Amino acid sequence: MPRSQPKVTLDGIHRWQIQIENSFLSSYKNKRSIGPLHTCGSVAVTGDGSRLVTCVAEEAVLTNIVTGEEICRFAGDTQSITSLCLTPSASQLIVFTSTPSLRVYEIPTTAVKNKIHPVRVVARAHDAPVHVCTIDPSSTYLASGSADGVVKVWDIKRGYITHVFKGHGGIVSALKFNFPQDPSVVVPQNIHQLITASVDTRIRIFDLTATSSKGDQAALRPIAILEGHVSVPRGLDVTPDGKWLISGGRDSVVLVWNLQAKSTGAKSAEATKGKGKSNSPVLTQTIPVMERVEAVGLLQAEDSVPSSSASKLRFYTAGEKGIIRIWDVKDSSVLYSLSQVADLQTEDQEEQRQIVEAIYLPLISTIVSVHADQNILFYDLNTRNLHRQLIGFNDEIVDAVFLSPNAPKSVDSHIAFATNSSLIRVYSTTGLDARLLTGHTEIVLSLDHGAGGKLFASGSKDRSVRLWAPTSPNDDLSTEWGCVAICEGHAESVGTVAMSRTSGEVGTTSVQFMFSGSQDRTIKMWYIGDVPLVFDASQHGQSLMKCKSLTTHKAHEKDINSLDVAPNDRLLASGSQDRTTKVYEINFSRATGDRSAHGEIKLLGTCKGHKRGVWTVKFGRSERVLATGSGDKTVKLWNLEDFTCVKTFEGHTNSVLRVDFINHDMQLVTSASDGLVKMWNVREEECTATMDNHEDKVWALAVSTDERVIVSAAADSVVTFWQDCTEEQAQENEAKRSELVLREQDFMNYLSLHDYRKAIQLALAMQQPGRLLSLFKDIRATSSEFAADASSVTGNDAVDEVLRTLGGSDLARLLRYVRDWNPNAKTSGVAQGVLYAVMKLRSADDVIAAFTDEAQEDILQSSGQEGVKSTASGNTALKELIDGMIPYTERHLSRMDRLVQDSFVVDYILSEMDDGMFDGQDIDTSTMDVDTEVSS
């Protein structure tokens, strides 16, 4: 028996409409942003590898490496940072600027919104810029080397100079403390040395235990000078027992020195007087590394345990090739490399990949490399794999797309960005970990992902389209990506790509076809059904699969800016600089047996109406509509039945660059050259929300699968993750409304009980000056009814007590309300009465303190400045309030004076009417009698 259909009532339809209206996504918050992380200068990492200090413009930034959260920024002196270092205890940061000044900062343990100011500043630490600095293992001494060849040693805690070493033949290029700690020795060695290197290719060893008397500078001379390099030494390191020293330089060699060898008159070391006369450093081994070395260091702990035997020493080198190599001293051979040689096609790309600095973290067996392109890589020595990669600067971001390499286990776990570079950035959506995809030889202009989010395509200025896929999922390793196919055939730059929105046959996730649009004004359709969805790293370097072009269509008269495929793969839309949008029908047949795949497109209609070039096109997800954004600052909605414009959205002040549908096509989200992201109500044609976190053109816009996150990226290299908070905002507003209703009810109850004290306090807490005004009016009107309150200032003792004990910020708020009431003649009486009561009941110091407390609360909530500044701002606020009240108060007093004068004139007229109106003539009383009779 068939079921009966439910009845649809008008009430049900009404409730459904209300539910739709309430389901609009109207509020998004800035969940997190990815901005420039490292733009220039040095880098420092804490020993546990959890925090990172980098330079962004003229400021140092502390970042949590795991979460990607910016912990704090260190206030600079508007000069570029030339060198910085962290104490081994990670408690202090030392920064040198080009002034050259020395600035010491305390490292916060938790995130701080305000900039950290230095605890000590030395305005003129050196006479020339400082390019290298280092701190001893005990976090006590700081060594700094400047461009004039002077090395200074500082006591960090006390802030004074302990040693000044001169004589270097140019810029100091490397520094290293040597404080030997040998547990096998019963009597500890009293050896404290500083090893320096400079551009004169020499390495000098200074004794820090020696003290110089006035006029005797012999103690400040090096105890040994090591000669062996023919170019600038860039790296120094010493074994923990202080016996072996290694040095690497731009002469492509690493030298191994025995610092405790008996003096034999070796030519490689020049011994001087004093300590160390019996032990003279000797060059024991020269290892050619075949690249300019920028960093060198000895491996410790489980990676390699340095001992008294050089045969067990292992070290790492980093330099011009962008590769970290692990070496064995005994065999002078490379044990392994921590990175693969990338496919670098140009000299510029090779130069950008050079390593400029390397940091060894023995506690976590990690080597951190800093590259010339501002990228920071973390290599795990245990697994010998890239553990984490941080991108310092993204430049101008032109496109973005969500990826799901582990779907359906996790969706939208990564996001890819195309920037002003040939490298594609793939970020994790939960942190700063990223990967750089090499393959294109020119700037990448566009990105798009296929059904499922695993496979994605990129179009570039090199006139090719590349397809990228993830490696097999591995929970132990980060997701890697590789190029699996290439599409070549366009004559000009590929400015846009669009992949199929549906999968292939049932049960598969393969994407069958793809479109590309170029500056050659043609659209190409590619068959990609045979492209693998998993990248096999073992086949890296082999020839790529080349996709077949199914059709080529001359589409527009000018450059094609955007393409989009309908959700059902039936339609294709293209937007061009010729101000038109064209809609095509897609005819595609899959490859079956001996029959190859076939595809073509057929023009269905043209959408005309924009006054400038069309930058973006997007099909609705559930409706047969098409949205376009143009350089004429508008977004248009088109009917796909007759290709007419049905709605126009105006609100952006510059070209609309991206558009997308959300919330079942009931809303639009757009980004434009004005740096704004806007949300629109399609039915009402109005903007419902504006999101602002960019300072330049917002080229990239991506919406997550569940529409909870919107990602915008702009030419200012900032990426913003906007989190949907509509539900939270509605709950918060409802809670506020409920609280307000309860407070209003309490207020009315207090009034009915004549509990003016609590009523005033509650009105001030609710910040409702209108209720306060009515309250004071009622008090003035009813004050005569209470004889006991006749002696009070306001007419009510309870009100006097409230004004006498009112808190600082509440008193300041009340006086601001008085200032607002004072200009109006109708409410000036109440204002003057309250002001008079406050002046009678409170001292001038109380009023000043009230505004100071208010300023202090505001500053603590916003900028957190010190109390001295808050006192000044409180006095300024009080002065502004008084200056605003005096003119109107004087006007009211003048009006009262005029009224008093007018009252005297009335009194005079009345007196004259009684006494002198008839000039002393007798008044006939009979008339009065007659009047009396009449009145009777």
Side-chain angles (χ1 to χ4, degrees):
M1 183 176 180
R3 296 181 180 178
S4 59
Q5 297 294 329
K7 295 182 179 180
V8 180
T9 62
L10 293 177
D11 292 339
I13 295 176
H14 180 66
R15 286 195 302 268
W16 177 71
Q17 290 176 345
I18 294 177
Q19 184 178 1
I20 291 179
E21 292 176 359
N22 294 334
S23 66
F24 279 132
L25 305 178
S26 59
S27 182
Y28 278 79
K29 64 181 179 180
N30 185 352
K31 180 182 178 182
R32 73 184 187 99
S33 298
I34 301 177
L37 178 66
H38 175 57
T39 58
C40 60
S42 302
V43 171
V45 187
T46 57
D48 59 359
S50 62
R51 291 177 291 174
L52 172 75
V53 179
T54 55
C55 300
V56 178
E58 291 83 24
E59 293 181 341
V61 180
L62 180 65
T63 306
N64 187 317
I65 298 177
V66 179
T67 63
E69 175 190 8
E70 180 180 303
I71 299 175
C72 69
R73 285 179 177 256
F74 300 93
D77 59 355
T78 69
Q79 299 294 324
S80 60
I81 297 175
T82 57
S83 181
L84 60 82
C85 59
L86 278 170
T87 58
S89 60
S91 60
Q92 290 180 315
L93 171 68
I94 312 298
V95 172
F96 288 93
T97 62
S98 58
T99 313
S101 68
L102 166 63
R103 306 170 74 86
V104 182
Y105 300 88
E106 295 289 342
I107 302 295
T109 56
T110 58
V112 179
K113 293 183 179 180
N114 312 307
K115 292 183 179 180
I116 304 298
H117 293 275
V119 296
R120 183 180 297 114
V121 177
V122 180
R124 193 74 178 175
H126 281 265
D127 294 329
V130 176
H131 294 292
V132 290
C133 62
T134 186
I135 297 177
D136 79 298
S138 64
S139 302
T140 305
Y141 298 105
L142 163 71
S144 57
S146 64
D148 58 1
V150 176
V151 175
K152 293 183 179 181
V153 180
W154 308 74
D155 188 304
I156 299 176
K157 183 177 181 180
R158 298 176 177 85
Y160 61 83
I161 300 174
T162 61
H163 298 79
V164 178
F165 301 120
K166 300 181 180 180
H168 299 85
I171 301 173
V172 180
S173 59
L175 297 170
K176 183 65 179 180
F177 281 102
N178 180 24
F179 291 0
Q181 296 179 356
D182 190 353
S184 62
V185 179
V186 177
V187 179
Q189 297 175 323
N190 187 23
I191 299 177
H192 295 81
Q193 297 175 344
L194 177 65
I195 306 173
T196 67
S198 60
V199 295
D200 62 0
T201 72
R202 295 182 175 183
I203 298 173
R204 294 170 172 83
I205 303 177
F206 295 92
D207 186 7
L208 297 179
T209 61
T211 57
S212 63
S213 60
K214 189 173 183 180
D216 181 17
Q217 298 296 324
L220 298 180
R221 295 174 183 171
I223 61 175
I225 299 178
L226 312 183
E227 296 181 352
H229 287 284
V230 296
S231 187
V232 184
R234 289 289 295 134
L236 298 171
D237 202 3
V238 185
T239 57
D241 59 5
K243 181 175 182 179
W244 300 100
L245 165 70
I246 64 169
S247 60
R250 292 176 178 171
D251 52 4
S252 302
V253 297
V254 172
L255 304 182
V256 182
W257 308 82
N258 188 345
L259 299 181
Q260 297 179 5
K262 300 298 181 181
S263 178
T264 58
K267 296 181 180 180
S268 60
E270 178 185 340
T272 59
K273 298 179 180 179
K275 293 186 178 181
K277 185 175 180 181
S278 59
N279 294 338
S280 178
V282 175
L283 176 63
T284 61
Q285 196 168 355
T286 300
I287 302 175
V289 296
M290 309 307 291
E291 68 168 335
R292 294 194 302 272
V293 176
E294 294 294 332
V296 64
L298 291 162
L299 298 183
Q300 301 177 13
E302 295 144 0
D303 312 307
S304 173
V305 182
S307 64
S308 59
S309 175
S311 62
K312 295 183 180 180
L313 290 179
R314 293 182 180 180
F315 64 91
Y316 67 89
T317 60
E320 64 172 334
K321 293 184 179 180
I323 301 175
I324 296 177
R325 292 186 173 94
I326 308 300
W327 296 77
D328 180 66
V329 173
K330 180 180 179 180
D331 299 331
S332 299
S333 60
V334 179
L335 297 177
Y336 58 89
S337 298
L338 291 178
S339 59
Q340 300 294 329
V341 180
D343 299 330
L344 303 175
Q345 290 84 359
T346 65
E347 293 182 1
D348 181 63
Q349 290 178 333
E350 184 176 355
E351 182 180 353
Q352 290 296 313
R353 294 298 294 167
Q354 293 182 6
I355 296 177
V356 297
E357 186 178 0
I359 304 169
Y360 175 49
L361 305 176
L363 291 179
I364 58 174
S365 300
T366 299
I367 295 180
V368 183
S369 62
V370 183
H371 296 255
D373 56 2
Q374 291 94 34
N375 294 326
I376 304 171
L377 280 64
F378 291 72
Y379 290 98
D380 191 336
L381 293 176
N382 295 325
T383 62
R384 302 181 184 180
N385 290 317
L386 179 63
H387 174 61
R388 179 177 285 109
Q389 179 169 347
L390 306 180
I391 297 176
F393 186 64
N394 283 316
D395 205 354
E396 184 174 354
I397 303 174
V398 296
D399 206 356
V401 61
F402 276 104
L403 303 175
S404 304
N406 300 321
K409 181 179 179 181
S410 61
V411 181
D412 298 335
S413 59
H414 293 73
I415 185 168
F417 295 105
T419 66
N420 194 20
S421 167
S422 61
L423 305 176
I424 300 173
R425 275 89 164 153
V426 179
Y427 275 87
S428 168
T429 55
T430 57
L432 291 179
D433 189 21
R435 294 293 181 267
L436 292 174
L437 308 186
T438 60
H440 286 289
T441 58
E442 295 289 342
I443 295 174
V444 178
L445 299 175
S446 61
L447 300 171
D448 193 24
H449 66 80
K454 288 189 175 183
L455 192 70
F456 77 96
S458 60
S460 169
K461 278 189 174 182
D462 61 8
R463 299 176 293 181
S464 69
V465 178
R466 287 179 178 262
L467 295 170
W468 309 83
T471 56
S472 299
N474 190 336
D475 296 335
D476 298 331
L477 299 176
S478 301
T479 303
E480 302 291 339
W481 301 77
C483 183
V484 293
I486 186 172
C487 306
E488 295 177 321
H490 281 290
E492 297 292 341
S493 302
V494 180
T496 178
V497 291
M499 301 184 72
S500 170
R501 304 305 180 200
T502 61
S503 303
E505 298 178 358
V506 178
T508 66
T509 58
S510 61
V511 182
Q512 294 298 310
F513 59 86
M514 176 187 68
F515 293 94
S516 60
S518 170
Q519 289 184 357
D520 60 13
R521 305 168 189 176
T522 62
I523 298 175
K524 282 184 174 292
M525 184 178 184
W526 307 88
Y527 175 66
I528 57 176
D530 298 333
V531 174
L533 297 178
V534 177
F535 171 68
D536 188 357
S538 62
Q539 298 181 359
H540 179 67
Q542 300 182 7
S543 58
L544 294 174
M545 175 188 296
K546 292 189 176 181
C547 299
K548 174 186 176 182
S549 175
L550 299 178
T551 183
T552 301
H553 186 82
K554 177 67 167 35
H556 291 273
E557 299 299 325
K558 292 185 178 181
D559 297 351
I560 299 174
N561 293 328
S562 180
L563 293 175
D564 189 43
V565 177
N568 58 3
D569 282 350
R570 299 289 183 85
L571 300 175
L572 170 71
S574 63
S576 169
Q577 284 296 108
D578 61 9
R579 300 178 292 181
T580 63
T581 300
K582 294 186 178 181
V583 180
Y584 303 88
E585 180 184 5
I586 302 174
N587 294 317
F588 173 77
S589 57
R590 297 184 179 90
T592 56
D594 297 335
R595 183 181 177 184
S596 60
H598 174 75
E600 61 180 5
I601 57 176
K602 177 183 177 182
L603 180 64
L604 294 181
T606 303
C607 303
K608 297 181 179 180
H610 283 295
K611 299 178 181 178
R612 296 287 181 89
V614 179
W615 282 107
T616 177
V617 295
K618 197 69 176 179
F619 282 104
R621 289 181 170 86
S622 56
E623 300 290 341
R624 285 181 57 83
V625 292
L626 176 70
T628 59
S630 168
D632 60 10
K633 312 174 189 177
T634 65
V635 177
K636 290 183 179 292
L637 202 64
W638 306 86
N639 184 356
L640 294 180
E641 300 297 334
D642 54 5
F643 307 104
T644 57
C645 178
V646 293
K647 291 182 183 293
T648 300
F649 305 86
E650 297 180 350
H652 283 289
T653 59
N654 213 324
S655 302
V656 179
L657 303 177
R658 291 291 183 271
V659 63
D660 204 347
F661 286 91
I662 59 174
N663 199 12
H664 305 288
D665 297 347
M666 293 190 297
Q667 289 180 274
L668 284 173
V669 57
T670 61
S671 65
S673 296
D674 55 12
L676 301 177
V677 178
K678 288 180 176 290
M679 296 185 63
W680 307 83
N681 184 332
V682 173
R683 185 176 61 182
E684 303 295 337
E685 297 185 43
E686 64 179 6
C687 178
T688 58
T690 299
M691 295 168 279
D692 184 9
N693 193 46
H694 298 284
E695 298 178 355
D696 211 333
K697 300 176 181 178
V698 184
W699 283 106
L701 190 69
V703 180
S704 63
T705 304
D706 58 2
E707 300 180 355
R708 296 280 296 173
V709 178
I710 297 175
V711 174
S712 61
D716 58 3
S717 76
V718 174
V719 179
T720 306
F721 289 78
W722 303 98
Q723 178 76 39
D724 176 29
C725 61
T726 304
E727 185 176 351
E728 293 85 346
Q729 189 71 32
Q731 293 176 354
E732 183 179 352
N733 292 338
E734 181 63 23
K736 289 182 179 180
R737 189 188 66 82
S738 300
E739 184 181 1
L740 182 60
V741 170
L742 292 175
R743 285 189 172 188
E744 289 179 349
Q745 184 62 45
D746 291 340
F747 180 80
M748 299 303 297
N749 294 338
Y750 293 147
L751 285 183
S752 62
L753 296 174
H754 300 289
D755 190 349
Y756 296 119
R757 177 185 181 86
K758 292 184 178 179
I760 292 175
Q761 292 176 343
L762 187 58
L764 287 172
M766 291 190 298
Q767 298 184 6
Q768 294 185 350
R771 293 188 179 276
L772 268 179
L773 180 63
S774 302
L775 175 60
F776 284 119
K777 284 183 177 180
D778 294 341
I779 292 173
R780 292 185 52 164
T782 60
S783 60
S784 60
E785 300 178 3
F786 301 93
D789 297 342
S791 60
S792 67
V793 179
T794 60
N796 190 295
D797 290 336
V799 177
D800 290 356
E801 183 64 22
V802 172
L803 297 181
R804 187 181 293 109
T805 60
L806 206 57
S809 58
D810 288 339
L811 179 59
R813 189 179 298 114
L814 176 60
L815 290 176
R816 293 185 189 278
Y817 294 159
V818 170
R819 178 197 59 187
D820 297 338
W821 300 335
N822 195 44
N824 193 337
K826 295 181 179 180
T827 58
S828 61
V830 176
Q832 291 295 323
V834 175
L835 181 61
Y836 172 76
V838 171
M839 293 297 102
K840 280 287 187 179
L841 299 172
R842 304 297 288 266
S843 64
D845 293 337
D846 289 345
V847 177
I848 295 174
F851 282 90
T852 302
D853 293 343
E854 182 190 44
Q856 181 72 21
E857 291 178 4
D858 294 341
I859 289 173
L860 288 176
Q861 293 177 359
S862 57
S863 60
Q865 297 296 327
E866 299 177 357
V868 176
K869 295 184 178 180
S870 65
T871 302
S873 60
N875 293 336
T876 302
L878 178 58
K879 182 179 181 301
E880 292 176 353
L881 182 134
I882 294 175
D883 291 342
M885 293 180 65
I886 288 177
Y888 291 102
T889 302
E890 291 177 347
R891 182 181 302 177
H892 297 321
L893 290 176
S894 300
R895 180 167 55 84
M896 296 301 296
D897 289 340
R898 289 196 301 270
L899 288 175
V900 172
Q901 292 176 5
D902 293 343
S903 68
F904 283 119
V905 173
V906 173
D907 290 342
Y908 174 74
I909 293 174
L910 292 176
S911 63
E912 288 297 321
M913 290 174 63
D914 292 340
D915 300 334
M917 186 173 180
F918 300 99
D919 297 330
Q921 298 181 4
D922 295 333
I923 300 175
D924 188 0
T925 58
S926 60
T927 305
M928 299 301 294
D929 294 338
V930 171
D931 292 340
T932 301
E933 293 175 358
V934 172
S935 62
S936 62

